Amino acid sequence: MSAALEEFCGSVFWNASYLTRPDADLPVCFQQTVLVWVPLGFFWILAPWQLLPMCKSRAKKSSVTKLYIIKQVLATLLMLTAVAELALAFVEDTEQAPLPAVQYTNPSLYIATWLLVLLIHDARRFCLRRDSGILFCFWTLSLLCGILPFQSLLRRALQAPISDVPRFVLFFISYGLQLLLFLVSGFSDVAPETKEITKKNPEVTASFLSSITFEWYTSMVFKGYRKPLEIEDIWELKGKDKTQAIYAVLEKNMKTAVRKAQAELEKRKRKKRRREGDPDHGNNVSKAQSQDILVLEEKQPKRKKKGDKGDSGPRKDFPRGWLVKTLCKTFWKNLLLSVAFKLVHDALVFVSPQLLKLLIAFVSDEESFAWQGYLYAILLFLTALIQSLCLQQYFSLCFQLGINVRASLIAAIYKKALTMSSATRKESTVGETVNLMSADAQRFMDTANFVHQLWSSPLQIILSIVFLWRELGPSVLAGIAVIVLLIPINGLLVAKAKTIQVRNMKNKDERMKIMSEILNGIKILKLFAWEPSFEKRVNEVRARELKDLVNFSYLQSVSIFLFTCAPLLVSLASFAVYVLVDENNILDAQKAFTAISLFNVLRFPMAMLPLVLSSLVQTNVSTARLERYLGREDLDTSAIHHNPIAGSAVRFSEATFAWEQDGNAAIRDVTLDIAPGSLVAVVGAVGSGKSSLVSAMLGEMENIKGHINIQGSLAYVPQQPWIQNATLKDNILFGSELDEARYQQVIEACALLPDLELLPAGDQTEIGEKGINLSGGQKQRVSLARALYSNADIYVLDDPLSAVDAHVGKYLFEHVLGPKGLLQKKTRILVTHSISFLPQVDNIVVLVAGAVSEHGSYSTLLANRGAFAQFLNLYGSQEEDASERNTTAVALAGDEEQGDEDIEPCVEEGPDDVVTMTLKRDASIRQREFSRSLSKSSTNSWKKAQEEPPKKLKGQQLIEKEAVETGKVKFSMYLRYLHAVGLWYSFWVAMGYVGQYVAFVGTNLWLSAWTDDAQHYLNQTYPTEQRDLRIGVFGALGVSQALFLLFAIILSARGAMRASRVMHQQLLSNILRAPMSFFDTTPTGRIVNRFAKRFYVSTSRQLRRLDSVTRSPIYSHFGETVSGLSVIRAFGHQERFLQQNESTMDINQKSVYSWIVSNRWLAIRLEFVGSLVVFFSALLAVISKGTLEGGIVGLSVSSALNVTQTLNWLVRTSSELETNIVAVERVHEYTKVKNEAPWVTEKRPPHGWPSKGEIQFVDYKVRYRPELELVLQGITCNIGSTEKVGVVGRTGAGKSSLTNCLFRVLEAAGGTIIIDEVDIATIGLHDLRKNLTIIPQDPVLFSGTLRMNLDPFDQYTDEEVWKALELAHLKTYVQDLPEGLLHLVSEAGENLSVGQRQLVCLARALLRKAKILILDEATAAVDLETDHLIQTTIRSEFADCTVLTIAHRLHTIMDSNRVMVLQAGRIVEYDSPEELLKKHGAFSAMAKDAGITNIESTVL
């Protein structure tokens, strides 16, 4: 081989003696062949791929830039030098003897190469990133290889005159041009047309150098340093990193994987059935069933026990094992790339110790040449540099994988929530699902960051051992034995940790569930003074959680302790055995420090492996949770057909539907035909299946038999209106295009015009979460307007008129629903409790216990003398003549109706529900940044009109933008945290760490002294006592180091728990004591986010804050979606909500991505500093050769090799600390929320107060918030003992404000309220609230037992509770339940009908039986029969109490002693109903509207 090469170059190819002299050099032939062909080979193997864009691209080329021209000019010049060299060879060849072949081949190769370079430069114009990484690597390699001939030629020229001037000159010109090209290709080449894209995200066009060093990010770091970053400053994501793109791929893979897994599941079930299929199968079922029930009781105390069929197993089995496969398949590119980077990095990790060994040998060897030392120093530097670049690329890929996995999982969970069947939906509460998003998806993200350690750690461990064996021989086995011993111990710790982790996830779920219930029902908790009971519930769960956490952190500290000890014990064992085994084994610097740096390498994988394993264990739990959730049944709408049938809009054919697959049928054998364009009313008692009938049509129920055929699109108005946190206009448009004329028509028909005048920003007013700043009636009308605007073919209306005042209901019926309304041509199915509209409908369907008992027109049913007729005779006779009179009147009035001032419901003012009334006046133009990106044109057009925004109206903004603290985390936060930890704890923890560090330094210095013994006792025997001393002290220092650490860790774990307990407690008790207005202006998602918590720093810190702030909307939007599922599905808007979720996700993704890059940006710069430190410490060792001992050189370089890691940790930890302290800061922010008045004060009311129940208002004034107008304008009146007073008034007159004042939900702005001689402002809130009773407007229940819902403090006996249930007409229902009083109520009482919930609230009041009862129009959602029952109960049971009734329907208060008529916060009339009817004032006008003429006509 070398002979052939020598002939090829015409000179010697290799001669080792060239290197054994001070001025070493390489033979010319070696330089001309190997050093030229290596870079060219690299280039020709990889470069042709770079031409692909030319062949397949349909894109047009981007334009020519200055940079492109410079590159092409330089490449052309290079080609010219090669051509010149070739020409030179031919010229010389003719003059003299033939030249060696190399003079022809090399220039020819170069000509071809430079041509290819020109082509590649051109081909890259088809790409966004116009710079080629392969070219950059080629330039680097070529320049590095060129250094050797470069210095050779220079040295020769300095020693003697130059023999071959033309080639000498050409080489230097060529080298110079390559250097220029190398420099030029470091810059990003941005074409003018991609400038815009670059502004959005410079990464897309960044050059290769800029990408690997993250240079493109620098401008962001500076921006973040100069001013706090806002979400607008952060760059957009790359197209392929957008949630939609990632999720599309995942979904495709997921579908196939789940299908396979489901097939597996079927197989498993069949096997199980075969196993159990023994002859006495009947008996077997019951056995399995009782087993199941046992298991259920153990496993899920909070689940309803379902009598499972024997073969289905207790909610156990689900498609398994598909999730991880799917993720791998989706992200394989990322995984492969990161494996490549990690491999290079891992290989280089082992090069450094070998170089260190050579360097120590060089220092200790008198004979060695200086150039060797310099070479080692340079190689150490290059190794460190490449290692660092690979590591950062690898990390960057891993973290990207992490956030992409998280995003795609959240998208999958969201999509699943949209398609989930109702039975499945019952299995997991909103809280649990949000936890899947926050905790489980997050856990996947954390695992993805380290998943490669699974193969890389064992690889590094094996390699370390191999190299160590070469140093210390079999003695290494002693070290390995220590390692092997530690593994099972760790396995044990991991297993233990897993069980704790599983328990903890359960506790956390439960705690978040209770929290979200508390926040949703906070108003009830306040009115009933139940906060302590719920606080106790949360604290019980939290205590369990903390106990587990403490144990978990102890386990963790033991495992950290073991792994700090590990390298030490390992090196101690190995060195001791090595020295003791054989007299001649002397520990010298080379061996010791090479071994130590290898042990240092070993330390990381050994510490990582257990962490990765334990995180995998946790991920395993999450995998199961996610697989169960995502693998569940989807909504099965196969029973809903869409076949064209002439003359029928909706046809039920023997339809039988249930809420759960094996549950009882909620509607039975319904056969109905609804003609197109007809108005059908569905009536029936509470619980007769009216809402179920509607749900069946919407496809929300499980089909048992039969089907429903629906022709055309649906619009749906649910019984409890669902309002989004968006502007009023967006709520009505609901994603449709704006058609101004139709929009105005809809608003007018739904009686919303007067409301718009009252709302601060008109239809641009932002509605708070769950429509908090609208009254019940307004919500219902907005919900109706949404359906109306959607212009569907079939309208399904679930009792939309119950929540509005009588006259408004009449208006809506006439203008929207009735025979003359906007919907007259559409098919309308109206569930209703109101009898007055029945004569005007085309068809009436009467439901009894889920079956149709009769149907037909009003007159037919009356003639039939069936159940319906009796019902009407009972309740409707008077109403009927009233409404008939009205109908004729209306018919006569016809168009003049507009002139009739009273029927037009212009007086519907603002809301009147808690703090709402005000808040009405409150609008906010939505958390600004999100509306910007999310709400469409409507907001934009409005924004343009508002270019110079006026001063914000008073109280206009409702939901304040979530505060993002900016700038440095205040030092006081650290102090606050340390204080929570406890100052003594903090001090001793610090001392522990100091001790550990002192011992660490001591160990190293001792080792350095030990290794220098090898020089001192060069040719003598090594004294045994010296040897034993060395080993003993080394061991003692090592152990003390570990013990100090253990001490510090355990203390800090305890301290952290203590802090966590203290802060959670403060946060919870403060949130529960916050006034009502706080909850109205803060979305629950945001509060829950606080409870879920556990920089370049300036950029990093701010990015973390942004991440935290942009995460809340994901959860809020999710919660909103789940609560409005039936509406979203009925309108068919799933796609739009998916997209909105994706854009919300992307906003969060980009802040997280930015944070990741900022970490990499920093790390790479730090590691560069570290590499320089290594380089200089090696260089100094070379320069001061001869004056230094090997031991010191070893110590200095091996410490320098550790500097990089330490620097990295330092900054990472300080920014982590800042980041985590941000959580403290955010919790603290909510612990400062202003509290309401104290619950109990010095002044306690007398025992048995109020005994009489007299109420006096004395010039009482109130406003919702300091900056707003008065709502009650000085009310003065007396209410006598046991008097029954009805309070009436148009919406927003201040009726509900009155109750809020009695309970001091609102504090007085002037005047007093006196109950039984006690001024209520002087006593504690709980003393007041516990002694009044309210039946609130919207019935709120909590998850837990029925008994807990009636009596959370267990103050009453079971007999008393049953008595209350009996009076509330619930006794028979509860007795029929298998668990009776212990029946589990699901979240928000979903498993009871709205009417039943209302009765439960009545039972609450009966149980408490205070002297004063406030009834807040509690009868709105109840049919007349139940209404009648409630009224009679209240009359008999509360006969000796003072009763205030706030009424929508005048019938309910006609038998009151007196009626108070409110208007705009003042009392306008206050007298007995008889007197007021005679007066012809405001009251008699209202009565006329409701069809009441005289008292007798209303004896209900």
Side-chain angles (χ1 to χ4, degrees), residues 1274-1292:
I1275 282 192
T1276 305
C1277 68
N1278 287 349
I1279 297 172
S1281 175
T1282 75
E1283 197 172 7
K1284 309 288 177 279
V1285 175
V1287 181
V1288 297
R1290 298 279 149 96
T1291 309

Side-chain angles (χ1 to χ4, degrees), residues 409-410 413 428 430-442 505 509 622 625-627 629-630 632:
L409 284 177
I410 291 186
I413 293 168
S428 48
V430 181
E432 286 171 325
T433 319
V434 167
N435 233 352
L436 282 178
M437 285 190 168
S438 56
D440 297 311
Q442 187 72 31
M505 288 307 282
D509 271 356
S622 296
R625 286 165 55 110
L626 285 165
E627 282 180 347
Y629 183 83
L630 295 172
R632 283 188 183 155

Side-chain angles (χ1 to χ4, degrees), residues 88 92 153 161-173:
L88 188 67
E92 285 186 359
L153 285 171
I162 301 161
S163 54
D164 187 352
V165 177
R167 281 205 177 78
F168 180 83
V169 173
L170 281 175
F171 174 81
F172 281 102
I173 290 177

Side-chain angles (χ1 to χ4, degrees), residues 404-567:
N404 290 350
V405 165
R406 187 189 76 157
S408 54
L409 284 177
I410 291 186
I413 293 168
Y414 186 85
K415 173 104 183 241
K416 187 72 192 175
L418 281 177
T419 58
M420 207 192 276
S421 69
S422 62
T424 321
R425 224 171 101 197
K426 287 206 176 70
E427 286 178 25
S428 48
T429 60
V430 181
E432 286 171 325
T433 319
V434 167
N435 233 352
L436 282 178
M437 285 190 168
S438 56
D440 297 311
Q442 187 72 31
R443 173 132 318 130
F444 262 90
M445 171 171 167
D446 298 340
T447 305
N449 300 346
F450 299 114
V451 73
H452 293 291
Q453 292 297 340
L454 266 184
W455 59 265
S456 143
S457 292
L459 178 77
Q460 285 185 321
I461 292 173
I462 292 166
L463 283 175
S464 308
I465 291 171
V466 171
F467 282 112
L468 279 166
W469 187 281
R470 288 179 45 194
E471 293 304 321
L472 303 175
S475 318
V476 171
L477 291 174
I480 291 166
V482 175
I483 293 176
V484 174
L485 273 176
L486 289 174
I487 287 174
I489 297 180
N490 204 61
L492 213 108
L493 292 174
V494 168
K496 216 50 208 124
K498 167 178 179 168
T499 49
I500 292 182
Q501 201 56 38
V502 177
R503 270 211 309 268
N504 231 0
M505 288 307 282
K506 281 221 178 78
N507 285 333
K508 188 168 176 192
D509 271 356
E510 197 180 336
R511 181 167 60 87
M512 297 321 275
K513 181 172 140 196
I514 300 177
M515 273 319 300
S516 62
E517 292 210 312
I518 288 181
L519 297 172
N520 291 333
I522 189 79
K523 186 178 178 195
I524 298 298
L525 292 190
K526 291 204 170 305
L527 294 176
F528 281 87
W530 280 356
E531 300 100 330
S533 156
F534 278 77
E535 186 170 2
K536 196 167 125 232
R537 274 178 75 189
V538 175
N539 282 334
E540 278 164 10
V541 181
R542 179 68 181 170
R544 289 205 298 273
E545 206 178 347
L546 280 177
K547 197 169 134 219
D548 284 343
L549 277 175
V550 167
N551 294 338
F552 188 70
S553 49
Y554 285 164
L555 285 177
Q556 224 177 0
S557 40
V558 174
S559 111
I560 290 178
F561 165 68
L562 287 177
F563 278 91
T564 325
C565 281

Side-chain angles (χ1 to χ4, degrees), residues 572 575-576 579-580 587 1002-1003 1005-1011 1013 1017 1022-1038:
L572 175 64
F575 291 161
V579 179
L580 296 169
L587 198 62
T1003 317
L1005 291 171
W1006 187 259
L1007 184 66
S1008 166
W1010 184 359
T1011 56
D1013 287 352
Y1017 299 94
Y1022 191 53
T1024 28
E1025 61 279 10
Q1026 174 77 354
R1027 181 191 71 191
D1028 297 343
L1029 174 73
R1030 292 292 191 203
I1031 294 176
V1033 174
F1034 185 68
L1037 282 168

